[in-house]
Coordinates of all heavy atoms in Angstrom, one line a residue:
M3 N -6.9 10.6 16.2 CA -5.7 9.9 15.8 C -5.0 9.1 17.0 O -4.9 9.6 18.1 CB -4.6 11.0 15.4 CG -4.7 11.5 14.0 SD -4.4 10.2 12.8 CE -2.7 10.5 12.4
R4 N -4.6 7.9 16.6 CA -3.9 7.1 17.6 C -2.5 6.8 17.1 O -2.3 6.8 16.0 CB -4.7 5.8 17.8 CG -6.1 6.1 18.3 CD -6.9 4.8 18.2 NE -8.3 5.2 18.4 CZ -9.2 4.4 19.0 NH1 -8.9 3.3 19.5 NH2 -10.4 4.8 19.2
S5 N -1.7 6.4 18.1 CA -0.3 6.2 17.7 C -0.1 4.7 17.4 O 0.8 4.3 16.7 CB 0.6 6.6 18.8 OG 0.3 6.0 20.0
E6 N -1.0 3.8 17.9 CA -0.8 2.4 17.7 C -1.8 1.8 16.8 O -2.9 2.3 16.7 CB -0.8 1.7 19.0 CG 0.4 1.9 19.9 CD 0.2 1.3 21.3 OE1 -0.5 0.3 21.4 OE2 0.8 1.9 22.2
M7 N -1.4 0.7 16.1 CA -2.4 0.0 15.3 C -3.5 -0.6 16.1 O -3.3 -0.9 17.2 CB -1.7 -1.2 14.6 CG -1.1 -0.8 13.2 SD -2.4 -0.4 12.0 CE -3.1 -2.0 11.7
A8 N -4.7 -0.6 15.5 CA -5.8 -1.2 16.2 C -5.6 -2.7 16.5 O -5.0 -3.4 15.7 CB -7.1 -1.1 15.3
S9 N -6.1 -3.1 17.7 CA -6.0 -4.5 18.0 C -7.1 -5.3 17.3 O -8.0 -4.7 16.7 CB -6.2 -4.6 19.6 OG -7.6 -4.3 19.8
G10 N -7.0 -6.6 17.4 CA -8.0 -7.4 16.8 C -9.4 -7.1 17.2 O -10.3 -7.0 16.4
N11 N -9.6 -6.9 18.5 CA -10.9 -6.5 19.0 C -11.4 -5.2 18.5 O -12.6 -5.0 18.1 CB -10.9 -6.4 20.5 CG -11.0 -7.8 21.2 OD1 -11.4 -8.8 20.5 ND2 -10.8 -7.9 22.5
E12 N -10.5 -4.2 18.4 CA -10.9 -2.9 17.9 C -11.2 -3.0 16.4 O -12.2 -2.4 15.9 CB -9.7 -1.9 18.0 CG -9.6 -1.3 19.4 CD -8.4 -0.4 19.6 OE1 -7.3 -0.8 19.2 OE2 -8.6 0.7 20.1
L13 N -10.5 -3.8 15.6 CA -10.7 -4.0 14.2 C -12.1 -4.6 14.0 O -12.9 -4.2 13.2 CB -9.7 -4.9 13.6 CG -8.3 -4.3 13.4 CD1 -7.4 -5.3 12.8 CD2 -8.4 -3.1 12.5
D14 N -12.4 -5.6 14.9 CA -13.7 -6.2 14.8 C -14.8 -5.2 15.0 O -15.8 -5.2 14.3 CB -13.8 -7.3 15.9 CG -14.9 -8.3 15.6 OD1 -14.8 -9.1 14.6 OD2 -15.9 -8.3 16.3
K15 N -14.6 -4.4 16.0 CA -15.6 -3.3 16.4 C -15.8 -2.3 15.2 O -16.9 -2.0 14.9 CB -15.1 -2.6 17.6 CG -16.3 -2.2 18.6 CD -15.7 -1.7 19.9 CE -16.2 -0.3 20.1 NZ -15.5 0.4 21.2
I16 N -14.7 -1.9 14.7 CA -14.7 -0.9 13.6 C -15.5 -1.5 12.4 O -16.3 -0.9 11.8 CB -13.3 -0.5 13.1 CG1 -12.6 0.2 14.2 CG2 -13.3 0.3 11.8 CD1 -11.1 0.3 14.0
A17 N -15.2 -2.8 12.0 CA -15.8 -3.4 10.9 C -17.3 -3.6 11.1 O -18.1 -3.3 10.2 CB -15.1 -4.8 10.6
R18 N -17.7 -4.1 12.3 CA -19.1 -4.3 12.6 C -19.8 -3.0 12.5 O -21.0 -2.9 12.1 CB -19.3 -5.0 13.9 CG -18.9 -6.4 13.9 CD -18.8 -7.0 15.3 NE -18.4 -8.4 15.3 CZ -19.3 -9.3 15.1 NH1 -20.6 -9.1 14.9 NH2 -19.0 -10.6 15.1
H19 N -19.2 -1.9 13.1 CA -19.8 -0.6 13.1 C -20.0 -0.1 11.6 O -21.0 0.4 11.3 CB -19.0 0.4 13.9 CG -19.5 1.8 13.9 ND1 -20.5 2.2 14.8 CD2 -19.2 2.8 13.1 CE1 -20.8 3.5 14.5 NE2 -20.0 3.9 13.5
A20 N -19.0 -0.3 10.8 CA -19.0 0.2 9.4 C -20.1 -0.5 8.6 O -20.8 0.2 7.8 CB -17.7 -0.1 8.7
A21 N -20.4 -1.7 9.0 CA -21.5 -2.4 8.2 C -22.8 -2.3 8.9 O -23.8 -2.8 8.4 CB -21.1 -3.9 8.1
D22 N -22.9 -1.6 10.0 CA -24.1 -1.4 10.7 C -25.0 -0.3 10.1 O -25.2 0.8 10.7 CB -23.8 -1.1 12.2 CG -25.1 -1.1 13.0 OD1 -26.1 -1.6 12.6 OD2 -25.0 -0.5 14.1
A23 N -25.5 -0.6 9.0 CA -26.4 0.3 8.3 C -27.4 -0.5 7.5 O -27.0 -1.6 7.1 CB -25.7 1.3 7.4
P24 N -28.7 -0.1 7.4 CA -29.7 -0.9 6.8 C -29.3 -1.5 5.4 O -29.5 -2.6 5.1 CB -30.9 0.0 6.6 CG -30.7 1.0 7.7 CD -29.2 1.2 7.9
I25 N -28.6 -0.7 4.6 CA -28.2 -1.1 3.3 C -27.2 -2.2 3.2 O -27.1 -2.9 2.3 CB -27.8 0.2 2.5 CG1 -27.8 -0.1 1.0 CG2 -26.4 0.7 2.9 CD1 -27.8 1.1 0.1
W26 N -26.4 -2.3 4.3 CA -25.3 -3.3 4.3 C -25.7 -4.6 5.1 O -25.0 -5.6 5.0 CB -24.0 -2.8 4.9 CG -23.5 -1.5 4.2 CD1 -23.4 -0.3 4.8 CD2 -23.1 -1.4 2.8 NE1 -22.9 0.6 3.9 CE2 -22.8 0.0 2.7 CE3 -23.0 -2.3 1.8 CZ2 -22.3 0.5 1.4 CZ3 -22.6 -1.8 0.5 CH2 -22.2 -0.4 0.4
R27 N -26.7 -4.4 5.9 CA -27.1 -5.5 6.8 C -27.3 -6.9 6.2 O -26.8 -7.9 6.7 CB -28.3 -5.1 7.7 CG -28.2 -5.5 9.1 CD -29.1 -4.7 10.0 NE -28.5 -3.4 10.5 CZ -29.2 -2.3 10.8 NH1 -30.5 -2.3 10.7 NH2 -28.5 -1.3 11.2
A28 N -28.1 -6.9 5.1 CA -28.3 -8.2 4.4 C -27.1 -8.8 3.9 O -26.9 -10.0 4.0 CB -29.4 -8.0 3.3
D29 N -26.2 -8.0 3.3 CA -24.9 -8.5 2.7 C -23.9 -9.0 3.8 O -23.1 -9.9 3.5 CB -24.2 -7.4 1.9 CG -25.0 -7.1 0.7 OD1 -25.8 -7.9 0.2 OD2 -24.8 -6.0 0.1
T30 N -24.0 -8.5 5.0 CA -23.0 -8.8 5.9 C -23.5 -9.7 7.1 O -22.8 -9.9 8.1 CB -22.3 -7.5 6.5 OG1 -23.4 -6.7 7.1 CG2 -21.6 -6.8 5.5
H31 N -24.8 -10.1 7.0 CA -25.4 -10.8 8.0 C -24.6 -12.1 8.3 O -24.3 -12.9 7.4 CB -26.8 -11.2 7.6 CG -27.6 -12.0 8.6 ND1 -28.1 -11.4 9.7 CD2 -27.8 -13.3 8.8 CE1 -28.7 -12.3 10.5 NE2 -28.5 -13.5 9.9
G32 N -24.3 -12.3 9.6 CA -23.6 -13.5 10.1 C -22.1 -13.5 9.8 O -21.4 -14.4 10.2
M33 N -21.6 -12.4 9.3 CA -20.2 -12.3 9.1 C -19.4 -11.8 10.3 O -20.0 -11.0 11.1 CB -19.9 -11.3 7.9 CG -20.3 -11.9 6.5 SD -20.1 -10.7 5.2 CE -18.4 -10.6 5.0
T34 N -18.2 -12.2 10.5 CA -17.4 -11.7 11.6 C -16.8 -10.4 11.1 O -16.8 -10.1 9.9 CB -16.2 -12.7 11.9 OG1 -15.3 -12.7 10.7 CG2 -16.7 -14.0 12.2
G35 N -16.2 -9.6 12.0 CA -15.6 -8.4 11.7 C -14.5 -8.6 10.7 O -14.3 -7.8 9.7
Q36 N -13.7 -9.6 10.9 CA -12.6 -9.9 10.0 C -13.1 -10.2 8.5 O -12.5 -9.8 7.6 CB -11.8 -11.2 10.5 CG -11.0 -10.9 11.7 CD -9.9 -9.9 11.5 OE1 -9.3 -9.9 10.5 NE2 -9.7 -9.1 12.5
Q37 N -14.2 -10.9 8.4 CA -14.8 -11.2 7.1 C -15.3 -9.9 6.4 O -15.1 -9.7 5.2 CB -15.9 -12.2 7.2 CG -15.4 -13.6 7.6 CD -16.5 -14.6 7.9 OE1 -17.5 -14.2 8.5 NE2 -16.4 -15.8 7.5
I38 N -15.9 -9.1 7.2 CA -16.4 -7.8 6.7 C -15.2 -7.0 6.2 O -15.2 -6.4 5.1 CB -17.2 -7.0 7.8 CG1 -18.4 -7.8 8.1 CG2 -17.5 -5.6 7.3 CD1 -19.2 -7.3 9.3
L39 N -14.1 -6.9 7.0 CA -12.9 -6.1 6.6 C -12.3 -6.6 5.3 O -11.9 -5.8 4.5 CB -11.8 -6.3 7.7 CG -12.0 -5.4 8.9 CD1 -10.8 -5.6 9.8 CD2 -12.0 -3.9 8.5
K40 N -12.3 -7.9 5.2 CA -11.7 -8.5 4.0 C -12.5 -8.2 2.7 O -11.9 -7.8 1.7 CB -11.6 -10.1 4.2 CG -10.6 -10.7 3.3 CD -10.5 -12.2 3.7 CE -9.7 -13.0 2.7 NZ -9.7 -14.4 2.9
L41 N -13.8 -8.3 2.9 CA -14.7 -8.0 1.8 C -14.7 -6.5 1.4 O -14.9 -6.2 0.2 CB -16.1 -8.5 2.1 CG -17.1 -8.6 1.0 CD1 -16.6 -9.5 -0.1 CD2 -18.4 -9.1 1.6
Y42 N -14.7 -5.6 2.4 CA -14.9 -4.2 2.1 C -13.7 -3.3 2.3 O -13.8 -2.1 2.4 CB -16.0 -3.7 3.0 CG -17.4 -4.3 2.7 CD1 -17.9 -5.3 3.4 CD2 -18.1 -3.8 1.6 CE1 -19.1 -5.9 3.1 CE2 -19.3 -4.4 1.3 CZ -19.8 -5.4 2.0 OH -21.0 -6.0 1.7
K43 N -12.5 -3.9 2.4 CA -11.3 -3.1 2.6 C -11.0 -2.0 1.6 O -10.4 -1.0 1.9 CB -10.1 -4.0 2.9 CG -9.6 -4.8 1.7 CD -8.4 -5.6 2.1 CE -8.0 -6.5 0.9 NZ -6.9 -7.4 1.3
T44 N -11.5 -2.2 0.4 CA -11.2 -1.2 -0.7 C -12.4 -0.3 -0.9 O -12.4 0.5 -1.8 CB -10.8 -1.8 -2.0 OG1 -11.8 -2.7 -2.5 CG2 -9.5 -2.6 -1.9
S45 N -13.5 -0.5 -0.1 CA -14.6 0.4 -0.1 C -14.3 1.7 0.6 O -13.4 1.7 1.4 CB -15.8 -0.3 0.6 OG -16.3 -1.4 -0.1
A46 N -15.0 2.7 0.2 CA -14.9 4.0 0.9 C -15.6 3.9 2.3 O -16.4 3.1 2.5 CB -15.5 5.1 0.1
I47 N -15.1 4.7 3.2 CA -15.8 4.8 4.5 C -16.1 6.2 4.8 O -15.4 7.2 4.5 CB -14.9 4.1 5.6 CG1 -15.7 4.0 6.9 CG2 -13.6 4.9 5.7 CD1 -15.0 3.1 7.9
C48 N -17.3 6.4 5.4 CA -17.7 7.8 5.7 C -17.0 8.3 7.0 O -17.0 7.6 8.0 CB -19.2 7.7 6.0 SG -19.9 9.3 6.7
P49 N -16.3 9.4 6.9 CA -15.6 10.0 8.0 C -16.5 10.5 9.1 O -16.1 10.7 10.2 CB -14.7 11.1 7.4 CG -15.5 11.5 6.2 CD -16.2 10.3 5.7
R50 N -17.8 10.7 8.8 CA -18.7 11.3 9.8 C -19.3 10.2 10.7 O -19.1 10.3 11.9 CB -19.8 12.1 9.1 CG -20.6 12.8 10.1 CD -22.0 13.2 9.5 NE -21.8 14.5 8.7 CZ -22.8 14.9 7.9 NH1 -23.9 14.2 7.7 NH2 -22.6 16.0 7.2
C51 N -19.9 9.2 10.1 CA -20.5 8.2 10.9 C -19.8 6.8 10.8 O -20.2 5.9 11.5 CB -22.0 8.0 10.5 SG -22.3 7.2 8.9
E52 N -18.7 6.8 10.1 CA -17.9 5.6 10.0 C -18.6 4.4 9.4 O -18.3 3.2 9.8 CB -17.2 5.3 11.3 CG -16.4 6.5 11.8 CD -15.5 6.1 13.0 OE1 -16.1 5.8 14.1 OE2 -14.3 6.1 12.9
R53 N -19.6 4.6 8.5 CA -20.2 3.4 7.9 C -19.6 3.3 6.4 O -19.1 4.3 5.9 CB -21.7 3.7 7.8 CG -22.5 2.9 8.8 CD -22.1 3.4 10.2 NE -23.0 2.8 11.2 CZ -23.3 3.5 12.3 NH1 -22.9 4.7 12.6 NH2 -24.1 2.9 13.2
L54 N -19.8 2.2 5.8 CA -19.3 2.0 4.5 C -20.0 3.0 3.6 O -21.2 3.2 3.7 CB -19.7 0.5 4.0 CG -19.0 -0.6 4.8 CD1 -19.6 -1.9 4.4 CD2 -17.5 -0.6 4.5
A55 N -19.3 3.6 2.6 CA -19.8 4.6 1.8 C -19.7 4.1 0.3 O -18.9 3.2 0.0 CB -19.2 5.9 2.0
F56 N -20.4 4.8 -0.6 CA -20.4 4.5 -2.0 C -19.4 5.4 -2.7 O -19.3 6.6 -2.3 CB -21.7 4.7 -2.7 CG -22.7 3.7 -2.3 CD1 -23.9 4.1 -1.8 CD2 -22.5 2.3 -2.5 CE1 -24.9 3.2 -1.4 CE2 -23.5 1.4 -2.2 CZ -24.7 1.8 -1.6
R57 N -18.6 4.8 -3.6 CA -17.8 5.7 -4.5 C -18.7 6.5 -5.3 O -19.6 5.9 -6.0 CB -16.9 4.8 -5.3 CG -15.9 4.1 -4.5 CD -15.1 3.1 -5.3 NE -14.1 2.5 -4.4 CZ -13.0 1.9 -4.9 NH1 -12.7 1.9 -6.2 NH2 -12.1 1.4 -4.0
D58 N -18.6 7.8 -5.4 CA -19.4 8.6 -6.1 C -18.7 9.2 -7.4 O -17.5 8.9 -7.6 CB -19.9 9.8 -5.2 CG -21.3 10.3 -5.7 OD1 -21.7 10.0 -6.8 OD2 -21.8 11.1 -4.9
K59 N -19.4 9.9 -8.2 CA -18.8 10.6 -9.3 C -17.7 11.4 -8.8 O -17.9 12.2 -7.8 CB -19.9 11.5 -10.0 CG -19.5 11.9 -11.4 CD -20.6 12.7 -12.0 CE -21.1 12.1 -13.3 NZ -22.2 12.9 -13.9
G60 N -16.5 11.3 -9.3 CA -15.3 12.0 -8.8 C -14.4 11.2 -7.9 O -13.4 11.6 -7.5
W61 N -14.8 9.9 -7.8 CA -13.9 9.0 -6.9 C -12.5 8.9 -7.6 O -11.5 9.0 -6.9 CB -14.5 7.7 -6.7 CG -13.6 6.7 -6.1 CD1 -12.8 5.7 -6.7 CD2 -13.3 6.5 -4.7 NE1 -12.1 5.0 -5.8 CE2 -12.3 5.5 -4.6 CE3 -13.8 7.2 -3.6 CZ2 -11.8 5.1 -3.3 CZ3 -13.3 6.8 -2.3 CH2 -12.3 5.8 -2.2
Q62 N -12.5 8.6 -8.9 CA -11.2 8.4 -9.6 C -10.3 9.6 -9.5 O -9.1 9.4 -9.2 CB -11.5 8.2 -11.1 CG -12.2 6.9 -11.4 CD -11.3 5.8 -11.7 OE1 -10.1 6.0 -11.8 NE2 -11.8 4.5 -11.8
A63 N -10.8 10.8 -9.7 CA -9.9 12.0 -9.6 C -9.7 12.5 -8.2 O -8.6 12.9 -7.8 CB -10.5 13.1 -10.5
R64 N -10.8 12.5 -7.4 CA -10.7 13.2 -6.1 C -11.2 12.4 -4.9 O -11.4 12.9 -3.9 CB -11.4 14.5 -6.2 CG -10.8 15.5 -7.2 CD -11.5 16.9 -7.2 NE -12.8 16.8 -7.7 CZ -13.9 17.1 -7.1 NH1 -13.9 17.7 -5.9 NH2 -15.1 17.0 -7.6
R65 N -11.4 11.1 -5.2 CA -11.9 10.3 -4.1 C -13.2 10.7 -3.4 O -13.3 10.8 -2.2 CB -10.8 10.2 -3.0 CG -9.5 9.5 -3.4 CD -9.8 8.0 -3.6 NE -8.7 7.2 -3.6 CZ -8.1 6.6 -2.5 NH1 -8.6 6.8 -1.3 NH2 -7.1 5.8 -2.6
I66 N -14.1 11.1 -4.3 CA -15.4 11.5 -3.7 C -16.3 10.3 -3.5 O -16.5 9.5 -4.3 CB -16.1 12.5 -4.7 CG1 -15.2 13.7 -5.0 CG2 -17.5 12.9 -4.2 CD1 -14.9 14.6 -3.8
A67 N -16.8 10.3 -2.3 CA -17.7 9.2 -1.9 C -19.0 9.8 -1.2 O -19.0 11.0 -0.8 CB -17.0 8.3 -0.9
R68 N -20.0 8.9 -1.1 CA -21.3 9.3 -0.6 C -21.7 8.3 0.4 O -21.7 7.1 0.2 CB -22.3 9.5 -1.7 CG -23.6 10.0 -1.3 CD -24.5 10.2 -2.6 NE -24.5 9.0 -3.5 CZ -25.3 8.0 -3.3 NH1 -26.2 8.0 -2.3 NH2 -25.3 7.0 -4.1
C69 N -22.2 8.8 1.6 CA -22.6 7.8 2.6 C -24.1 7.6 2.5 O -24.9 8.6 2.6 CB -22.3 8.4 4.0 SG -22.9 7.4 5.3
P70 N -24.6 6.3 2.4 CA -26.0 6.1 2.2 C -26.7 6.2 3.6 O -27.9 6.2 3.6 CB -26.0 4.6 1.7 CG -24.7 4.0 2.2 CD -23.7 5.1 2.3
R71 N -26.0 6.3 4.6 CA -26.6 6.3 5.9 C -26.9 7.8 6.4 O -28.0 8.1 6.8 CB -25.8 5.6 7.0 CG -26.5 5.6 8.4 CD -25.7 4.8 9.4 NE -26.3 4.9 10.7 CZ -26.0 5.9 11.5 NH1 -25.2 6.9 11.2 NH2 -26.6 5.9 12.7
C72 N -25.8 8.6 6.4 CA -26.0 9.9 7.0 C -26.1 11.0 5.9 O -26.3 12.2 6.2 CB -24.9 10.3 8.0 SG -23.3 10.6 7.3
G73 N -25.8 10.6 4.6 CA -25.9 11.6 3.6 C -24.7 12.4 3.3 O -24.6 13.2 2.4
W74 N -23.6 12.2 4.1 CA -22.4 12.9 3.9 C -21.8 12.6 2.5 O -21.9 11.5 1.9 CB -21.3 12.4 4.9 CG -20.0 13.0 4.8 CD1 -19.5 14.2 5.3 CD2 -18.9 12.5 4.0 NE1 -18.2 14.4 4.9 CE2 -17.8 13.4 4.1 CE3 -18.8 11.3 3.2 CZ2 -16.6 13.1 3.5 CZ3 -17.5 11.1 2.6 CH2 -16.5 12.0 2.7
R75 N -21.2 13.6 1.9 CA -20.5 13.5 0.6 C -19.2 14.3 0.6 O -19.2 15.4 1.0 CB -21.4 13.9 -0.6 CG -20.8 13.7 -1.9 CD -21.8 14.1 -3.1 NE -21.2 13.7 -4.4 CZ -20.4 14.5 -5.0 NH1 -20.0 15.7 -4.5 NH2 -19.9 14.1 -6.2
G76 N -18.1 13.7 0.1 CA -16.9 14.5 0.1 C -15.7 13.5 -0.1 O -15.9 12.4 -0.6
R77 N -14.5 14.0 0.2 CA -13.3 13.2 0.0 C -13.2 12.1 1.1 O -13.4 12.4 2.3 CB -12.1 14.1 0.1 CG -11.9 15.0 -1.1 CD -10.5 15.7 -1.0 NE -9.4 14.7 -1.2 CZ -8.6 14.9 -2.2 NH1 -8.6 16.0 -3.0 NH2 -7.6 14.0 -2.4
A78 N -13.0 10.9 0.6 CA -13.0 9.8 1.6 C -11.7 8.9 1.3 O -11.1 9.0 0.3 CB -14.2 9.0 1.5
V79 N -11.4 8.1 2.3 CA -10.4 7.1 2.1 C -11.1 5.7 2.1 O -12.2 5.6 2.4 CB -9.3 7.2 3.2 CG1 -8.6 8.5 3.2 CG2 -9.9 6.9 4.6
T80 N -10.3 4.7 1.8 CA -10.8 3.3 1.9 C -10.8 2.8 3.3 O -10.1 3.4 4.2 CB -10.0 2.4 1.0 OG1 -8.7 2.3 1.5 CG2 -10.0 2.8 -0.4
V81 N -11.5 1.8 3.6 CA -11.5 1.1 4.9 C -10.1 0.8 5.3 O -9.7 1.0 6.5 CB -12.4 -0.1 4.9 CG1 -12.3 -0.9 6.2 CG2 -13.9 0.3 4.6
D82 N -9.4 0.2 4.4 CA -8.0 -0.2 4.6 C -7.1 1.0 5.1 O -6.4 0.9 6.1 CB -7.4 -0.8 3.4 CG -6.5 -1.9 3.6 OD1 -6.6 -2.5 4.7 OD2 -5.6 -2.2 2.8
E83 N -7.3 2.1 4.3 CA -6.5 3.3 4.7 C -6.9 3.9 6.0 O -6.1 4.5 6.7 CB -6.6 4.3 3.5 CG -6.0 3.9 2.2 CD -6.5 4.7 1.0 OE1 -7.5 5.4 1.1 OE2 -5.8 4.6 0.0
Y84 N -8.2 3.8 6.2 CA -8.8 4.3 7.4 C -8.2 3.7 8.7 O -7.8 4.3 9.6 CB -10.3 4.1 7.4 CG -11.1 5.0 8.3 CD1 -11.2 6.3 8.1 CD2 -11.7 4.4 9.5 CE1 -11.9 7.2 9.0 CE2 -12.5 5.2 10.3 CZ -12.6 6.6 10.0 OH -13.3 7.4 10.9
I85 N -8.0 2.4 8.6 CA -7.5 1.6 9.7 C -5.9 1.7 9.8 O -5.4 2.0 10.9 CB -7.9 0.1 9.6 CG1 -9.4 0.0 9.8 CG2 -7.1 -0.8 10.5 CD1 -10.0 -1.3 9.4
T86 N -5.3 1.6 8.7 CA -3.8 1.7 8.7 C -3.3 3.1 9.1 O -2.3 3.3 9.7 CB -3.1 1.2 7.4 OG1 -3.7 2.0 6.3 CG2 -3.3 -0.2 7.2
G87 N -4.2 4.1 8.8 CA -3.8 5.5 9.1 C -4.3 5.9 10.5 O -4.2 7.0 10.9
N88 N -4.9 4.9 11.2 CA -5.4 5.2 12.5 C -6.4 6.4 12.6 O -6.3 7.2 13.5 CB -4.3 5.4 13.5 CG -3.5 4.2 13.8 OD1 -4.0 3.1 13.9 ND2 -2.2 4.3 13.8
L89 N -7.3 6.4 11.6 CA -8.2 7.5 11.5 C -9.5 7.3 12.2 O -10.3 8.2 12.3 CB -8.5 7.8 10.0 CG -7.2 8.1 9.1 CD1 -7.6 8.3 7.7 CD2 -6.6 9.4 9.6
Y90 N -9.7 6.1 12.7 CA -11.0 5.8 13.3 C -11.1 6.5 14.7 O -10.1 6.8 15.3 CB -11.1 4.3 13.5 CG -9.9 3.6 14.2 CD1 -10.0 3.5 15.6 CD2 -8.8 3.2 13.5 CE1 -8.9 2.9 16.3 CE2 -7.7 2.7 14.2 CZ -7.8 2.5 15.5 OH -6.7 2.0 16.2
K91 N -12.4 6.7 15.1 CA -12.6 7.4 16.3 C -12.7 6.4 17.5 O -13.0 5.3 17.3 CB -14.0 8.1 16.2 CG -13.8 9.3 15.2 CD -15.2 9.8 14.7 CE -15.1 10.7 13.5 NZ -16.2 10.6 12.7
Ligands
ZN101 ZN1 -22.1 8.6 7.1

């Protein structure tokens, strides 16, 4: 947890890291961190490895998501919430 909002550089790093998984690489190729953030801000993010995650069965009721990279499954927040809540590592 941090007390201050992420800087532009930090946001860029978070976004690039989030998309740094084989399954997202083709879709985000050549994009800046800002472009990635804009496109995926309502996507779920994996709290374990901080990559973009899929909304799974149970998202509507309990925000259940599944990470295609590390296999984590559980309650998740969106990329937007992750950043505004200063939840990133
Ligand atoms: Zn993960």
Side-chain angles (χ1 to χ4, degrees):
M3 275 296 264
R4 297 167 194 216
S5 55
E6 286 171 33
M7 267 296 289
S9 69
N11 277 348
E12 278 178 313
L13 288 178
D14 197 70
K15 214 172 126 191
I16 294 164
R18 286 168 179 277
H19 177 85
D22 184 19
I25 196 160
W26 306 116
R27 220 160 271 153
D29 290 342
T30 57
H31 182 76
M33 288 173 75
T34 65
Q36 290 296 323
Q37 289 171 322
I38 293 169
L39 278 183
K40 202 171 167 189
L41 190 60
Y42 292 101
K43 64 182 177 185
T44 59
S45 292
I47 187 165
C48 172
R50 187 197 276 167
C51 71
E52 302 189 295
R53 260 64 173 212
L54 296 170
F56 290 122
R57 294 173 176 204
D58 207 349
K59 195 177 234 178
W61 172 264
Q62 292 270 352
R64 294 182 295 123
R65 292 294 197 89
I66 301 301
R68 184 173 53 82
C69 177
R71 181 177 176 274
C72 75
W74 176 90
R75 185 177 184 276
R77 285 187 76 122
V79 298
T80 64
V81 171
D82 215 23
E83 292 162 347
Y84 199 68
I85 289 166
T86 54
N88 292 319
L89 302 174
Y90 53 93
K91 292 163 192 152

